[in-house]
Amino acid sequence: MPRSNHSLPMAQLPSPRGRSVQELWDNRTVKRTSLCPFQISTPALDQFPVKLWRKLESRHFEYGDPSNLTFGDPAGYLPLREAISEHLRMFRAMVCDASQILITSGSRQGMNLAAQVLLDPGENAWIEDPVSFDVFNIFKIAGALLVPVRVDEQGLDVPEGIALAPLARLAYVSPSQHYPLGMTLSLSRRLALLDWASRTNAWIIEDDLDCEYRYVGRSLPSLHSLDNHGRVIYVGTFSRAMFPGLRLGYIVVPKGLMGTFTAARHLLDIGSSLVSQKTMSDFITEGHFYRHLRRIRTVHAERRDIMVKAIRDALGHILTVQIPEAGLYALGLLKDGLNDVDIAKKAAKAGISLIALSPYYQCNPAKSGLIFGFAGFPGQSIQKGIRRLSKIQFEA
Amino acid sequence: MPRSNHSLPMAQLPSPRGRSVQELWDNRTVKRTSLCPFQISTPALDQFPVKLWRKLESRHFEYGDPSNLTFGDPAGYLPLREAISEHLRMFRAMVCDASQILITSGSRQGMNLAAQVLLDPGENAWIEDPVSFDVFNIFKIAGALLVPVRVDEQGLDVPEGIALAPLARLAYVSPSQHYPLGMTLSLSRRLALLDWASRTNAWIIEDDLDCEYRYVGRSLPSLHSLDNHGRVIYVGTFSRAMFPGLRLGYIVVPKGLMGTFTAARHLLDIGSSLVSQKTMSDFITEGHFYRHLRRIRTVHAERRDIMVKAIRDALGHILTVQIPEAGLYALGLLKDGLNDVDIAKKAAKAGISLIALSPYYQCNPAKSGLIFGFAGFPGQSIQKGIRRLSKIQFEA
């Protein structure tokens, strides 16, 4: 398989695994300690119906069979997988049955499984450029030779990917909403990507980030729903639709790979809590999931508006922010000459968690910007946080 | 680094990772679906104080801060790590502080982390022979060149390991109770192993399996407690001391490696549920953990006695079983000419889960035997299961 000559900023790491990868982990992992504004990936946890959840849980925990205290099938609890398959059919137009769905501990584990099972060391993998450190590291550690492919207003530039590494083994893409730039992969790009994958037998990892939280218009059909050749691995999670501590997610895999994915999950960490899986299954099938999503989507949209207004009012002279159409964060682009990494460091000292955009770029010209998670914080906290932020010294 | 010429039954697998490893996963992973007698690794779940657990959990879940719905520090919740450090000091004579303890989702994840962080592909790793499929696979998939080292009545034959692969990077050992043969690693072997590791800068993975369940005499000091050179990675779990669905375990690592292990855990699956960690912390510090272990140890010892008597009464003509001094399973050795794999298959058809001993052997002459988990099943279920088993046709 030909390898791309694309220069990689991390290429100084000689081996993708073992001790030589320590440096990569040490330097590039975001270490979270507690919830502080404006962390991303956090839904409105203050709105989660905890008592209802606990009541449903009691059926299987306090009053249930002691075998509920274990894990059961390493592929996951079948009725939950059936509920997810129905959910994906209704909301993402996906045709897949429970026998293709594997329960994971979240999208992070889903991507690690896909990288472990599908990649041999030294094979090329397209990643979006910019891309989060975590996605970068997951594929790097699996031994991939990473090929950063630029994103434009239509999302991943598929023709560029094909030009750089036509025979890559795998492409990572977040089509519903690119992280961190926020655009949606256009339909023509979706079709071009699927066409490339089916011609070359490449795999597509579809990270369907925040598909539950679209505030404007309708989502495009998922890549998985357009795929007639079984090339897409669909990665989903309940961390943001429910709560991160739940530790439940799922992947949808082509039927022929289900045995291998299941065995790999079993080998990694055996399986997920059966009580959590049974409770999640009830939460979906009894209608609570949709009610919760509907309610929380409204809450998120309100917080988004408060965030955008607060940024524009207090920081409009240095930040340009668009109203995000989906997801849990807003991206503000900094005016020329301002260094996002410096500002994020100063903000951290003031107790505000912001993510700097520019380090996410691998090869393409970096933009300077800041990422604000808005969903996890009530309006007043958002306004207070932005006020605090407006007092720091932005110029170097 | 010189490589052992020891022939490996799995050596036909050309590459340790990626798609070529599918066959290994497919063929050698035990797939569990539900709790049935006589599954191993299952404590007396019917005796777990579920209501107490749920009451403690409420403090952090129903009435707590919404940020409890997330994960917090990827190394784990500090008070839990402090409680574990105190527990290990008292019960395993270990000197380690919370800053060396990383919370995992169980011992399986702990071993995967150790294999990922400490091994480079192609390096030698000693494993015990016989060894469970899961341990075999974890180190195989990390890219190790496995060196099976025989066990005798003193446990791992350290001189043989040194003769076979003197410069191995790592040794896997279960010193408290070898799985599946049940012996304890002798003190002289412990010292020889530590001496070898400190001389060659090798790592020792101490899988302290079922150290909580010793029925006779006192445990020997853990390898970690005897280690003056920071060579031991200690792997522990709450799956058997509490319940498997809890998904909490821990590893104790040398101080200099803590950052890398933490980053690796964060990259694998972000972290463990904060509510579970806070509840476990309270469960230990308020004294419930010791009371529970004391009580359940008695229950397990009773079930062990019922199991051994039932096997001797009904199957004594074909199985020789010793009373296990520790742990959750009994090993029965089959009389000559009886095939353990065939019998385990027939038992499975009758709804009885038995593990055949002989496939666990890698290089050394295999014994034929069957492994009976006794702890998870009340006396009557044990007697009923053994009666059902006594009716199957044992001869081929």
Side-chain angles (χ1 to χ4, degrees):
Chain A
M1 181 158 303
R3 291 180 181 182
S4 158
N5 289 320
H6 217 59
S7 80
L8 294 174
M10 300 298 290
Q12 67 275 18
L13 287 160
S15 149
R17 312 215 336 127
R19 291 185 309 288
S20 51
V21 95
Q22 290 182 13
E23 197 188 331
L24 178 137
W25 277 330
D26 285 344
N27 294 342
R28 294 177 55 97
T29 304
V30 178
K31 295 182 181 90
R32 263 188 290 197
T33 51
S34 69
L35 202 59
C36 80
F38 298 113
Q39 261 178 225
I40 56 161
S41 309
T42 304
L45 296 176
D46 53 313
Q47 302 293 313
F48 186 77
V50 171
K51 282 185 202 237
L52 168 63
W53 177 261
R54 293 273 291 172
K55 204 182 92 192
L56 298 181
E57 214 176 37
S58 294
R59 297 176 188 167
H60 309 294
F61 208 147
E62 277 164 85
Y63 311 111
D65 176 350
S67 72
N68 282 337
L69 298 181
T70 183
F71 348 80
D73 186 342
Y77 177 59
L78 190 59
L80 174 59
R81 292 156 65 204
E82 284 163 351
I84 292 169
S85 123
E86 178 63 13
H87 168 72
L88 294 174
R89 194 183 65 71
M90 286 179 57
F91 285 79
R92 307 298 292 130
M94 282 166 60
V95 181
C96 60
D97 64 49
S99 69
Q100 294 173 261
I101 296 176
L102 177 83
I103 302 300
T104 65
S105 68
S107 61
R108 184 76 57 104
Q109 186 178 60
M111 282 202 285
N112 272 303
L113 285 172
Q116 288 261 352
V117 167
L118 302 175
L119 271 172
D120 273 335
E123 290 184 324
N124 280 327
W126 299 2
I127 52 170
E128 296 166 326
D129 187 16
V131 76
S132 75
F133 298 154
D134 292 321
V135 170
F136 180 97
N137 285 341
I138 284 168
F139 292 102
K140 187 84 192 168
I141 281 165
L145 211 61
L146 299 180
V147 181
V149 177
R150 69 168 182 184
V151 293
D152 59 19
E153 67 290 345
Q154 288 193 67
L156 183 81
D157 188 339
V158 176
E160 185 186 77
I162 295 173
L164 289 170
L167 295 177
R169 162 61 48 198
L170 177 152
Y172 166 84
V173 64
S174 53
S176 280
Q177 193 199 20
H178 176 266
Y179 177 79
L181 299 181
M183 73 281 282
T184 300
L185 189 66
S186 70
L187 188 60
S188 64
R189 290 275 175 86
R190 285 174 197 242
L191 297 173
L193 184 61
L194 288 164
D195 175 64
W196 164 77
S198 71
R199 279 189 291 104
T200 62
N201 279 331
W203 300 106
I204 298 168
I205 313 291
E206 178 174 25
D207 189 2
D208 203 12
L209 223 58
D210 294 336
C211 59
E212 296 89 355
Y213 300 123
R214 169 152 290 276
Y215 311 112
V216 182
R218 279 180 66 84
S219 301
L220 281 174
S222 67
L223 274 169
H224 191 281
S225 71
L226 300 169
D227 173 24
N228 297 317
H229 297 89
R231 307 313 305 168
V232 174
I233 316 293
Y234 179 95
V235 179
T237 182
F238 290 118
S239 289
R240 285 185 283 261
M242 297 287 291
F243 57 98
L246 179 57
R247 310 315 300 123
L248 287 180
Y250 50 92
I251 47 175
V252 185
V253 306
K255 284 191 183 173
L257 289 176
M258 190 63 186
T260 307
F261 271 89
T262 305
R265 204 272 147 116
H266 187 257
L267 191 56
L268 258 189
D269 66 352
I270 305 188
S272 295
S273 151
L274 198 52
V275 168
S276 301
Q277 293 184 73
K278 288 191 172 183
T279 309
M280 188 67 224
S281 177
D282 292 351
F283 200 81
I284 298 175
T285 55
E286 295 173 21
H288 306 299
F289 190 49
Y290 305 106
R291 271 194 294 280
H292 173 61
L293 283 179
R294 223 173 17 241
R295 202 168 70 80
I296 210 174
R297 199 181 292 118
T298 311
V299 172
H300 288 176
E302 284 165 12
R303 292 180 178 183
R304 173 196 66 163
D305 294 343
I306 293 168
M307 174 67 93
V308 170
K309 184 173 185 310
I311 295 174
R312 286 177 177 168
D313 286 354
L315 300 165
H317 58 296
I318 55 161
L319 278 168
T320 307
V321 62
Q322 302 296 328
I323 299 177
E325 295 189 351
L328 305 181
Y329 65 89
L331 171 65
L333 292 175
L334 280 162
K335 75 167 186 186
D336 284 352
L338 288 179
N339 183 312
D340 53 0
V341 176
D342 284 349
I343 294 174
K345 274 186 197 154
K346 286 179 189 164
K349 279 185 196 147
I352 306 280
S353 165
L354 294 178
I355 293 182
L357 171 63
S358 64
Y360 282 165
Y361 284 85
Q362 303 301 321
C363 301
N364 289 285
K367 290 179 182 171
S368 183
L370 295 166
I371 301 163
F372 296 77
F374 57 73
F377 313 97
Q380 285 196 319
S381 308
I382 292 174
Q383 287 159 337
K384 214 171 109 187
I386 295 291
R387 272 200 303 276
R388 215 184 318 159
L389 196 62
S390 69
K391 290 182 188 129
I392 73 172
Q393 181 72 38
F394 292 101
E395 318 284 336
Chain B
M1 179 162 300
R3 289 179 181 184
S4 159
N5 289 319
H6 217 60
S7 80
L8 293 174
M10 301 297 290
Q12 67 275 18
L13 287 160
S15 148
R17 312 215 336 127
R19 292 186 308 289
S20 51
V21 96
Q22 290 182 11
E23 195 187 333
L24 178 135
W25 276 330
D26 285 346
N27 294 341
R28 293 177 56 97
T29 304
V30 178
K31 295 181 181 89
R32 263 187 291 195
T33 51
S34 68
L35 202 59
C36 79
F38 297 113
Q39 260 177 227
I40 56 161
S41 308
T42 305
L45 296 176
D46 53 314
Q47 302 292 312
F48 185 76
V50 170
K51 282 185 200 232
L52 168 64
W53 177 261
R54 293 275 290 172
K55 203 182 93 193
L56 298 181
E57 213 177 37
S58 294
R59 297 177 188 166
H60 309 294
F61 208 147
E62 278 164 83
Y63 311 111
D65 175 350
S67 72
N68 282 337
L69 297 182
T70 182
F71 347 81
D73 186 341
Y77 178 59
L78 190 59
L80 173 59
R81 292 155 66 203
E82 285 163 350
I84 292 169
S85 121
E86 178 62 15
H87 167 71
L88 293 174
R89 194 183 65 72
M90 285 179 58
F91 286 80
R92 306 299 292 132
M94 281 166 62
V95 180
C96 60
D97 64 50
S99 70
Q100 293 173 261
I101 295 176
L102 176 84
I103 302 299
T104 64
S105 67
S107 61
R108 183 77 57 105
Q109 186 178 60
M111 283 202 284
N112 273 301
L113 286 171
Q116 289 260 354
V117 168
L118 303 175
L119 272 172
D120 274 333
E123 290 183 325
N124 280 327
W126 300 2
I127 52 170
E128 296 166 326
D129 187 16
V131 76
S132 75
F133 297 154
D134 293 321
V135 170
F136 180 98
N137 285 342
I138 284 168
F139 291 102
K140 187 84 192 170
I141 281 164
L145 210 62
L146 299 180
V147 181
V149 177
R150 70 169 182 183
V151 293
D152 59 19
E153 68 290 344
Q154 287 193 67
L156 183 81
D157 187 338
V158 176
E160 185 186 78
I162 296 173
L164 290 170
L167 295 177
R169 164 58 50 195
L170 179 152
Y172 166 84
V173 63
S174 53
S176 279
Q177 193 198 21
H178 175 268
Y179 177 80
L181 298 182
M183 73 281 284
T184 300
L185 188 65
S186 69
L187 188 59
S188 64
R189 291 273 175 86
R190 286 175 197 240
L191 296 173
L193 183 62
L194 287 165
D195 175 64
W196 165 77
S198 70
R199 279 189 293 105
T200 61
N201 279 331
W203 299 107
I204 298 168
I205 312 292
E206 178 174 24
D207 188 0
D208 204 11
L209 222 60
D210 294 336
C211 59
E212 295 89 356
Y213 299 123
R214 168 152 290 277
Y215 311 113
V216 182
R218 279 182 67 82
S219 301
L220 281 173
S222 66
L223 274 169
H224 190 282
S225 70
L226 300 169
D227 173 24
N228 296 317
H229 297 88
R231 307 314 304 168
V232 174
I233 315 293
Y234 179 95
V235 180
T237 182
F238 290 118
S239 290
R240 285 186 282 263
M242 297 287 290
F243 57 97
L246 179 57
R247 311 312 303 123
L248 287 179
Y250 49 93
I251 48 176
V252 184
V253 307
K255 282 189 182 173
L257 289 176
M258 190 63 187
T260 307
F261 271 89
T262 305
R265 205 271 148 115
H266 187 257
L267 192 56
L268 258 189
D269 67 351
I270 305 187
S272 295
S273 152
L274 198 51
V275 168
S276 300
Q277 292 184 73
K278 288 190 172 183
T279 310
M280 188 68 223
S281 177
D282 291 351
F283 199 81
I284 297 175
T285 55
E286 295 174 20
H288 306 298
F289 189 48
Y290 306 105
R291 272 195 293 280
H292 173 60
L293 283 179
R294 224 174 15 241
R295 203 168 69 81
I296 210 175
R297 198 181 292 120
T298 311
V299 172
H300 287 175
E302 284 166 12
R303 291 178 179 183
R304 172 196 66 163
D305 294 342
I306 293 168
M307 173 66 93
V308 170
K309 183 173 186 309
I311 296 175
R312 286 178 177 168
D313 286 353
L315 300 165
H317 57 296
I318 56 161
L319 278 168
T320 307
V321 62
Q322 303 294 328
I323 299 177
E325 295 189 351
L328 306 181
Y329 64 89
L331 171 66
L333 292 176
L334 280 163
K335 75 168 186 184
D336 284 351
L338 288 181
N339 184 312
D340 54 0
V341 176
D342 284 350
I343 294 174
K345 275 186 197 152
K346 286 179 189 164
K349 280 186 195 145
I352 307 281
S353 164
L354 294 177
I355 293 182
L357 171 63
S358 65
Y360 281 163
Y361 284 85
Q362 302 302 321
C363 302
N364 289 286
K367 290 179 182 171
S368 183
L370 296 167
I371 300 163
F372 297 76
F374 56 74
F377 313 97
Q380 284 195 320
S381 308
I382 292 174
Q383 288 160 336
K384 214 171 110 187
I386 295 292
R387 272 200 303 277
R388 212 180 326 154
L389 196 63
S390 69
K391 290 183 188 124
I392 72 173
Q393 180 73 36
F394 291 100
E395 317 284 338

PDB file of all heavy atoms in Angstrom, chain B residues 171-188:
ATOM      1  N   ALA B 171       7.077  -9.636  33.215  1.00  0.00           N
ATOM      2  CA  ALA B 171       6.599 -10.954  33.648  1.00  0.00           C
ATOM      3  C   ALA B 171       5.200 -10.792  34.221  1.00  0.00           C
ATOM      4  O   ALA B 171       4.959  -9.923  35.063  1.00  0.00           O
ATOM      5  CB  ALA B 171       7.534 -11.532  34.707  1.00  0.00           C
ATOM      6  N   TYR B 172       4.283 -11.631  33.758  1.00  0.00           N
ATOM      7  CA  TYR B 172       2.933 -11.664  34.330  1.00  0.00           C
ATOM      8  C   TYR B 172       2.873 -12.777  35.356  1.00  0.00           C
ATOM      9  O   TYR B 172       3.261 -13.915  35.061  1.00  0.00           O
ATOM     10  CB  TYR B 172       1.880 -11.918  33.250  1.00  0.00           C
ATOM     11  CG  TYR B 172       0.546 -12.281  33.863  1.00  0.00           C
ATOM     12  CD1 TYR B 172      -0.326 -11.288  34.294  1.00  0.00           C
ATOM     13  CD2 TYR B 172       0.188 -13.606  34.080  1.00  0.00           C
ATOM     14  CE1 TYR B 172      -1.513 -11.605  34.917  1.00  0.00           C
ATOM     15  CE2 TYR B 172      -1.008 -13.938  34.706  1.00  0.00           C
ATOM     16  CZ  TYR B 172      -1.849 -12.928  35.118  1.00  0.00           C
ATOM     17  OH  TYR B 172      -3.030 -13.240  35.759  1.00  0.00           O
ATOM     18  N   VAL B 173       2.362 -12.481  36.543  1.00  0.00           N
ATOM     19  CA  VAL B 173       2.299 -13.514  37.584  1.00  0.00           C
ATOM     20  C   VAL B 173       1.085 -13.284  38.496  1.00  0.00           C
ATOM     21  O   VAL B 173       0.674 -12.141  38.726  1.00  0.00           O
ATOM     22  CB  VAL B 173       3.637 -13.539  38.381  1.00  0.00           C
ATOM     23  CG1 VAL B 173       3.876 -12.222  39.104  1.00  0.00           C
ATOM     24  CG2 VAL B 173       3.718 -14.698  39.353  1.00  0.00           C
ATOM     25  N   SER B 174       0.472 -14.375  38.959  1.00  0.00           N
ATOM     26  CA  SER B 174      -0.657 -14.292  39.912  1.00  0.00           C
ATOM     27  C   SER B 174      -0.220 -14.976  41.204  1.00  0.00           C
ATOM     28  O   SER B 174      -0.532 -16.134  41.441  1.00  0.00           O
ATOM     29  CB  SER B 174      -1.911 -14.951  39.323  1.00  0.00           C
ATOM     30  OG  SER B 174      -1.647 -16.269  38.875  1.00  0.00           O
ATOM     31  N   PRO B 175       0.532 -14.254  42.031  1.00  0.00           N
ATOM     32  CA  PRO B 175       1.217 -14.890  43.166  1.00  0.00           C
ATOM     33  C   PRO B 175       0.306 -15.352  44.299  1.00  0.00           C
ATOM     34  O   PRO B 175       0.602 -16.359  44.932  1.00  0.00           O
ATOM     35  CB  PRO B 175       2.183 -13.801  43.666  1.00  0.00           C
ATOM     36  CG  PRO B 175       1.766 -12.533  43.029  1.00  0.00           C
ATOM     37  CD  PRO B 175       0.875 -12.837  41.892  1.00  0.00           C
ATOM     38  N   SER B 176      -0.790 -14.647  44.575  1.00  0.00           N
ATOM     39  CA  SER B 176      -1.644 -15.053  45.702  1.00  0.00           C
ATOM     40  C   SER B 176      -2.267 -16.411  45.443  1.00  0.00           C
ATOM     41  O   SER B 176      -2.362 -17.249  46.331  1.00  0.00           O
ATOM     42  CB  SER B 176      -2.784 -14.057  45.909  1.00  0.00           C
ATOM     43  OG  SER B 176      -2.350 -12.940  46.614  1.00  0.00           O
ATOM     44  N   GLN B 177      -2.737 -16.588  44.229  1.00  0.00           N
ATOM     45  CA  GLN B 177      -3.351 -17.855  43.881  1.00  0.00           C
ATOM     46  C   GLN B 177      -3.260 -17.990  42.373  1.00  0.00           C
ATOM     47  O   GLN B 177      -3.914 -17.233  41.640  1.00  0.00           O
ATOM     48  CB  GLN B 177      -4.821 -17.874  44.333  1.00  0.00           C
ATOM     49  CG  GLN B 177      -5.405 -19.257  44.268  1.00  0.00           C
ATOM     50  CD  GLN B 177      -6.919 -19.260  44.268  1.00  0.00           C
ATOM     51  OE1 GLN B 177      -7.567 -18.276  43.940  1.00  0.00           O
ATOM     52  NE2 GLN B 177      -7.485 -20.398  44.586  1.00  0.00           N
ATOM     53  N   HIS B 178      -2.456 -18.937  41.920  1.00  0.00           N
ATOM     54  CA  HIS B 178      -2.340 -19.112  40.473  1.00  0.00           C
ATOM     55  C   HIS B 178      -3.680 -19.535  39.895  1.00  0.00           C
ATOM     56  O   HIS B 178      -4.375 -20.392  40.455  1.00  0.00           O
ATOM     57  CB  HIS B 178      -1.286 -20.189  40.167  1.00  0.00           C
ATOM     58  CG  HIS B 178      -1.201 -20.499  38.702  1.00  0.00           C
ATOM     59  ND1 HIS B 178      -1.928 -21.513  38.107  1.00  0.00           N
ATOM     60  CD2 HIS B 178      -0.498 -19.903  37.700  1.00  0.00           C
ATOM     61  CE1 HIS B 178      -1.676 -21.533  36.810  1.00  0.00           C
ATOM     62  NE2 HIS B 178      -0.815 -20.570  36.535  1.00  0.00           N
ATOM     63  N   TYR B 179      -4.054 -18.887  38.766  1.00  0.00           N
ATOM     64  CA  TYR B 179      -5.223 -19.363  38.052  1.00  0.00           C
ATOM     65  C   TYR B 179      -4.738 -20.169  36.862  1.00  0.00           C
ATOM     66  O   TYR B 179      -3.944 -19.650  36.083  1.00  0.00           O
ATOM     67  CB  TYR B 179      -6.112 -18.219  37.561  1.00  0.00           C
ATOM     68  CG  TYR B 179      -7.283 -18.725  36.756  1.00  0.00           C
ATOM     69  CD1 TYR B 179      -8.410 -19.225  37.405  1.00  0.00           C
ATOM     70  CD2 TYR B 179      -7.234 -18.792  35.367  1.00  0.00           C
ATOM     71  CE1 TYR B 179      -9.462 -19.753  36.679  1.00  0.00           C
ATOM     72  CE2 TYR B 179      -8.290 -19.325  34.641  1.00  0.00           C
ATOM     73  CZ  TYR B 179      -9.401 -19.796  35.307  1.00  0.00           C
ATOM     74  OH  TYR B 179     -10.437 -20.330  34.592  1.00  0.00           O
ATOM     75  N   PRO B 180      -5.158 -21.397  36.663  1.00  0.00           N
ATOM     76  CA  PRO B 180      -6.202 -22.130  37.383  1.00  0.00           C
ATOM     77  C   PRO B 180      -5.695 -23.156  38.401  1.00  0.00           C
ATOM     78  O   PRO B 180      -6.519 -23.824  39.016  1.00  0.00           O
ATOM     79  CB  PRO B 180      -6.909 -22.857  36.253  1.00  0.00           C
ATOM     80  CG  PRO B 180      -5.805 -23.172  35.293  1.00  0.00           C
ATOM     81  CD  PRO B 180      -4.794 -22.061  35.417  1.00  0.00           C
ATOM     82  N   LEU B 181      -4.378 -23.302  38.597  1.00  0.00           N
ATOM     83  CA  LEU B 181      -3.922 -24.430  39.421  1.00  0.00           C
ATOM     84  C   LEU B 181      -4.032 -24.158  40.917  1.00  0.00           C
ATOM     85  O   LEU B 181      -4.069 -25.091  41.711  1.00  0.00           O
ATOM     86  CB  LEU B 181      -2.484 -24.831  39.044  1.00  0.00           C
ATOM     87  CG  LEU B 181      -2.306 -25.305  37.590  1.00  0.00           C
ATOM     88  CD1 LEU B 181      -0.864 -25.720  37.330  1.00  0.00           C
ATOM     89  CD2 LEU B 181      -3.243 -26.458  37.238  1.00  0.00           C
ATOM     90  N   GLY B 182      -4.059 -22.878  41.310  1.00  0.00           N
ATOM     91  CA  GLY B 182      -4.393 -22.567  42.698  1.00  0.00           C
ATOM     92  C   GLY B 182      -3.217 -22.435  43.661  1.00  0.00           C
ATOM     93  O   GLY B 182      -3.416 -22.047  44.805  1.00  0.00           O
ATOM     94  N   MET B 183      -1.993 -22.747  43.215  1.00  0.00           N
ATOM     95  CA  MET B 183      -0.893 -22.652  44.190  1.00  0.00           C
ATOM     96  C   MET B 183      -0.476 -21.199  44.428  1.00  0.00           C
ATOM     97  O   MET B 183      -0.782 -20.300  43.641  1.00  0.00           O
ATOM     98  CB  MET B 183       0.329 -23.474  43.754  1.00  0.00           C
ATOM     99  CG  MET B 183       1.108 -22.879  42.620  1.00  0.00           C
ATOM    100  SD  MET B 183       0.309 -23.204  41.030  1.00  0.00           S
ATOM    101  CE  MET B 183       0.755 -24.933  40.801  1.00  0.00           C
ATOM    102  N   THR B 184       0.262 -21.002  45.522  1.00  0.00           N
ATOM    103  CA  THR B 184       0.764 -19.694  45.911  1.00  0.00           C
ATOM    104  C   THR B 184       2.242 -19.621  45.534  1.00  0.00           C
ATOM    105  O   THR B 184       2.966 -20.600  45.704  1.00  0.00           O
ATOM    106  CB  THR B 184       0.602 -19.536  47.437  1.00  0.00           C
ATOM    107  OG1 THR B 184      -0.784 -19.653  47.742  1.00  0.00           O
ATOM    108  CG2 THR B 184       1.118 -18.212  47.923  1.00  0.00           C
ATOM    109  N   LEU B 185       2.666 -18.483  45.047  1.00  0.00           N
ATOM    110  CA  LEU B 185       4.087 -18.312  44.717  1.00  0.00           C
ATOM    111  C   LEU B 185       4.881 -18.275  46.025  1.00  0.00           C
ATOM    112  O   LEU B 185       4.573 -17.489  46.922  1.00  0.00           O
ATOM    113  CB  LEU B 185       4.258 -17.003  43.938  1.00  0.00           C
ATOM    114  CG  LEU B 185       5.644 -16.738  43.326  1.00  0.00           C
ATOM    115  CD1 LEU B 185       5.985 -17.752  42.238  1.00  0.00           C
ATOM    116  CD2 LEU B 185       5.705 -15.314  42.753  1.00  0.00           C
ATOM    117  N   SER B 186       5.888 -19.135  46.123  1.00  0.00           N
ATOM    118  CA  SER B 186       6.630 -19.233  47.388  1.00  0.00           C
ATOM    119  C   SER B 186       7.455 -17.971  47.616  1.00  0.00           C
ATOM    120  O   SER B 186       7.756 -17.224  46.684  1.00  0.00           O
ATOM    121  CB  SER B 186       7.558 -20.454  47.359  1.00  0.00           C
ATOM    122  OG  SER B 186       8.609 -20.236  46.423  1.00  0.00           O
ATOM    123  N   LEU B 187       7.827 -17.772  48.870  1.00  0.00           N
ATOM    124  CA  LEU B 187       8.591 -16.568  49.215  1.00  0.00           C
ATOM    125  C   LEU B 187       9.931 -16.540  48.486  1.00  0.00           C
ATOM    126  O   LEU B 187      10.354 -15.487  47.979  1.00  0.00           O
ATOM    127  CB  LEU B 187       8.798 -16.510  50.737  1.00  0.00           C
ATOM    128  CG  LEU B 187       9.424 -15.213  51.253  1.00  0.00           C
ATOM    129  CD1 LEU B 187       8.580 -13.998  50.903  1.00  0.00           C
ATOM    130  CD2 LEU B 187       9.617 -15.285  52.770  1.00  0.00           C
ATOM    131  N   SER B 188      10.606 -17.696  48.380  1.00  0.00           N
ATOM    132  CA  SER B 188      11.918 -17.679  47.714  1.00  0.00           C
ATOM    133  C   SER B 188      11.763 -17.329  46.227  1.00  0.00           C
ATOM    134  O   SER B 188      12.568 -16.600  45.661  1.00  0.00           O
ATOM    135  CB  SER B 188      12.641 -19.017  47.895  1.00  0.00           C
ATOM    136  OG  SER B 188      11.903 -20.035  47.264  1.00  0.00           O
TER     137      SER B 188
END
